[in-house]
Amino acid sequence: MKRSKIKDILSKDKVGEKVSVKGWVRTRRGNKNVQFVALNDGSTINNIQIVFPLDRFTEEQLKPITTGASIHVEGDLVESMGKGQATEIQATELEVYGTADAETYPLQKKGHSLEFLREIAHLRPRTNTFGAVLRVRSALAYAIHKFFQDKGFYYLNTPLITASDCEGAGAMFQVTTLPLNELPKTEDGAVDYSQDFFGKPTALTVSGQLEGELGATAIGEIYTFGPTFRAENSNTPRHLAEFWMIEPEMAFYDITDNMDLAEEFVKYCIKYALDNCRDDIEFLQKMYDPELIARLEGVLAKPFKRLTYTEGVEILEKSGKKFEFPVYWGADLQSEHERYLVEEHFKTPVILTDYPKEIKAFYMKQNEDGKTVRAMDVLFPNIGEIIGGSEREENYDKLMARIEELNIPMKDMWWYLDTRRFGTVPHAGFGLGFERLVLFVTGMTNIRDVIPFPRTPKNAEF
Ligand code: ATP
Ligand code: MN
C-alpha cells in the first residue's frame, strides 16, 4: 500500500480509506484494552493518533513502541471520538523499523531546554520545536527564490573560495593545502604561497557581492543565495561563523529603488510564512513567544520608517536613555541603539540611510557632502540589523580615490574595477542574513537554533 504523509490524512476527507503511515513515535499511553500512539513523520507539527486494540495486538508486539521508535502502521482511517484530532487510525498491521531504548534515548522526556538540545544537535530535528523551525526555514528559502524568480532576477552562484579580502566585512577563514607544520618559505622567510593549491592565499568568502556586481552589470538583476563565512570571534545570539546570505544586485537601481525592493522582499517572505506555515508558527507562538504573530503582522501592516543615520543619531542623543555603548555622530550603531529606534521610538521597522563613510565599505556611493555614503540598513524589532546594502560607487575615479585612501591592495581588485572602466552604470544591492530572517519569523532568540548545524567559535561538532 502506498504510504500517506500524516499531514494529508489529518482532515476528515480521507475517512473510510485504508492507509499506511510511517514515522517516529512521540508518545504511547492507554490501558489493558487499547493503546494510543502519537506518530509524527515530519510532514507537519501535528501527530496522528493510532489506536492499537489489545484484542488484535499483544503486549509483546507493542513493547518496542516507545518514544523515538520508528514504525510502519496500516489500518483504517476513522473519525476520532477523542478531543484534539479529527481523525485516527485503527491499526491492523504493525512493523517496527527501529527501536529507541527508553533508558538511553536522549529525547525520551519532553521539555528539554534549547541549550541542552544544542548539545545534541544531531537529534534535535526530532523535536517539535526544531521540526517547526526547519519547515519554516525551508519555506522561507523557497519564498526567496520565488520572489526573485517571479520578478525576473537571475540566480547567480558566486564562489565560496576567494582570493580577495577587500569587502572588509569580517575576518576570513584561510583555505590552504600547505602542510601547516612544515610551511614552504621564500628566501625572505615569508610563506611561499606559490606552492599553495591556487598559487596564492585564498579564503572562504564573507560575501558574494563583488562577484554579484559582475553579474548585475551584465544580465541586469541577479541574486545570490549561499553560505558565507566570518571568522569573527563574536559569541552573540545573532552571529554565526557560517551563515547563509541572500544578495540581490541590480543595474540601474538607485538607493530608493533598493529600499523599495528590500522592503517588498522581506514583507513577501514574512507573508509567505504566515500563509504557508501557520501550524508551525502557531506552535512556536504558543511555546516561546505569545507576541509572535502580532509582531509578524505588525511588520506587514505599515511602511517601514525611513530616515538618515544623522536623524537617527539625533533621536538617540535626545532619548535620555542610558546605553552601554555611547552614541555620537560617527559611531557605529550597536544593536541596543538599533532596537531603541525600532522598538521604542518608531515601533516599526526602520531603514537608516546615509551613514558616515568611515564606518561603511569602500564601494558605497559617496554623497555630495563628502562625509556620508548611500548606505541603507534595515532594522527589525528583536533582531536589529537584518539587511545591509547601498547604492554602489559607479564612478571610476571616485572609487579609485577611496581605494587608495583606504590602502586596499589594487592588484587584487583589477577585475572589479573593470566594471567601472567598461560600460559602468548606476547600480545597487543589499545582503539579507538568512538566519536573521528565520529568527524573526520563528520568534527564536538564539541564531544557533535556526540553522540545522550551527558553526560558532569552538563549536563544529555535528
Ligand atoms: P552586524 O553589524 O550585525 O555584525 P554586518 O554589518 O557585519 O552585521 P553585513 O556585512 O552588512 O553585516 O552583512 C549583511 C547581513 O548579513 C547583515 O545585515 C546580517 O543580516 C547578516 N550577517 C552578518 N554577519 C552575520 C553573522 N556573523 N551571522 C549571521 N548573519 C550575519
Ligand atoms: Mn551591515
Side-chain angles (χ1 to χ4, degrees):
M1 199 189 311
K2 195 171 177 298
R3 167 191 167 224
S4 294
K5 290 209 182 177
I6 289 171
K7 72 169 178 189
D8 297 326
I9 55 172
L10 289 170
S11 70
K12 286 188 191 154
D13 38 289
K14 297 255 168 72
V15 161
E17 290 182 21
K18 276 216 156 294
V19 292
S20 159
V21 291
K22 303 178 178 187
W24 294 268
V25 173
R26 283 294 155 87
T27 57
R28 174 155 74 96
R29 60 186 177 82
N31 53 42
K32 285 205 195 75
N33 304 319
V34 62
Q35 292 278 306
F36 300 100
V37 167
L39 193 72
N40 190 281
D41 67 359
S43 62
T44 155
I45 187 85
N46 300 304
N47 304 324
I48 189 136
Q49 171 156 287
I50 299 169
V51 184
F52 290 96
L54 284 172
D55 52 13
R56 187 177 296 142
F57 296 91
T58 64
E59 289 277 7
E60 200 52 33
Q61 266 179 298
L62 299 186
K63 211 164 152 214
I65 307 187
T66 58
T67 298
S70 50
I71 60 174
H72 167 199
V73 173
E74 292 185 8
D76 303 298
L77 191 70
V78 299
E79 213 170 297
S80 177
M81 298 299 172
K83 293 203 291 274
Q85 69 264 332
T87 60
E88 63 191 24
I89 297 172
Q90 287 285 342
T92 53
E93 312 287 335
L94 166 68
E95 178 187 1
V96 176
Y97 287 128
T99 57
D101 178 19
E103 295 295 310
T104 53
Y105 182 53
L107 297 172
Q108 173 64 27
K109 286 200 300 274
K110 278 178 116 168
H112 289 301
S113 71
L114 294 170
E115 289 78 11
F116 172 74
L117 293 175
R118 260 171 241 149
E119 288 166 20
I120 51 163
H122 63 304
L123 289 175
R124 67 180 185 170
R126 303 235 191 136
T127 63
N128 285 330
T129 296
F130 285 89
V133 168
L134 294 179
R135 282 185 295 271
V136 171
R137 185 181 164 107
S138 170
L140 284 170
Y142 176 72
I144 286 162
H145 281 294
K146 183 160 166 53
F147 175 83
F148 286 117
Q149 295 283 334
D150 285 353
K151 276 195 178 304
F153 282 53
Y154 301 108
Y155 181 35
L156 184 77
N157 299 123
T158 50
L160 299 190
I161 298 176
T162 168
S164 62
D165 175 21
C166 33
E167 225 267 354
M172 301 178 104
F173 290 101
Q174 194 173 347
V175 173
T176 182
T177 53
L178 292 178
L180 293 179
N181 47 2
E182 214 181 321
L183 288 172
K185 297 280 170 66
T186 59
E187 270 163 27
D188 50 8
V191 175
D192 183 6
Y193 282 106
S194 69
Q195 295 188 42
D196 203 352
F197 190 90
F198 296 104
K200 57 176 149 184
T202 51
L204 295 177
T205 186
V206 293
S207 158
Q209 180 202 316
L210 301 185
E211 295 88 352
E213 288 185 51
L214 302 177
T217 54
I219 54 176
E221 292 164 334
I222 64 93
Y223 68 105
T224 72
F225 187 177
T228 43
F229 307 86
R230 296 191 185 177
E232 52 199 359
N233 209 344
S234 44
N235 247 317
T236 81
R238 290 180 323 280
H239 289 89
L240 291 162
E242 175 180 295
F243 65 100
W244 287 62
M245 191 143 59
I246 297 98
E247 294 183 278
E249 190 71 37
M250 299 75 63
F252 317 115
Y253 275 49
D254 65 14
I255 184 82
T256 308
D257 303 323
N258 204 22
M259 287 192 274
D260 291 345
L261 182 77
E263 180 167 345
E264 186 189 347
F265 170 52
V266 277
K267 284 181 167 171
Y268 178 94
C269 293
I270 293 165
K271 178 152 194 323
Y272 186 91
L274 278 170
D275 291 347
N276 292 277
C277 308
R278 197 74 194 188
D279 289 351
D280 289 320
I281 291 175
E282 279 173 1
F283 170 82
L284 293 164
Q285 165 161 286
K286 188 176 80 192
M287 297 299 291
Y288 297 101
D289 182 355
E291 320 265 280
L292 178 58
I293 293 174
R295 191 180 315 113
L296 298 179
E297 285 171 348
V299 165
L300 300 183
K302 285 184 284 179
F304 295 175
K305 179 73 194 171
R306 300 180 185 187
L307 67 158
T308 65
Y309 167 92
T310 304
E311 291 164 331
V313 167
E314 269 166 28
I315 292 169
L316 290 165
E317 282 173 336
K318 288 199 197 121
S319 71
K321 189 144 169 127
K322 279 257 168 297
F323 294 111
E324 190 187 334
F325 294 90
V327 46
Y328 52 91
W329 199 95
D332 205 353
L333 297 186
Q334 303 293 325
S335 116
E336 55 172 341
H337 307 130
E338 298 171 341
R339 292 183 59 176
Y340 174 83
L341 291 173
V342 173
E343 289 163 35
E344 295 181 50
H345 191 83
F346 290 111
K347 299 194 182 358
T348 186
V350 166
I351 310 184
L352 272 192
T353 59
D354 303 287
Y355 282 72
K357 65 177 182 197
E358 285 74 22
I359 57 171
K360 289 291 180 188
F362 75 93
Y363 49 71
M364 295 190 180
K365 188 175 173 72
Q366 296 162 49
N367 281 317
E368 316 277 82
D369 64 10
K371 292 192 296 192
T372 59
V373 288
R374 269 177 224 175
M376 55 167 234
D377 278 9
V378 180
L379 313 178
F380 257 43
N382 288 21
I383 306 289
E385 181 187 332
I386 193 163
I387 286 178
S390 69
E391 188 173 334
R392 318 304 189 190
E393 182 57 75
E394 85 276 15
N395 179 289
Y396 180 86
D397 295 328
K398 286 189 187 157
L399 185 64
M400 271 306 293
R402 193 75 185 125
I403 286 175
E404 276 160 19
E405 231 175 327
L406 295 171
N407 278 319
I408 297 170
M410 267 300 298
K411 68 168 174 30
D412 294 339
M413 292 302 297
W414 62 271
W415 52 273
Y416 184 71
L417 290 171
D418 270 4
T419 56
R420 276 62 167 178
R421 286 178 64 207
F422 308 116
T424 190
V425 291
H427 64 289
F430 60 82
L432 167 78
F434 186 45
E435 285 75 19
R436 302 238 178 129
L437 177 67
V438 184
L439 263 182
F440 184 72
V441 172
T442 58
M444 294 280 99
T445 52
N446 192 312
I447 201 163
R448 294 164 179 80
D449 297 333
V450 297
I451 185 164
F453 306 102
R455 295 290 175 258
T456 51
K458 301 278 181 290
N459 175 30
E461 181 83 9
F462 311 106

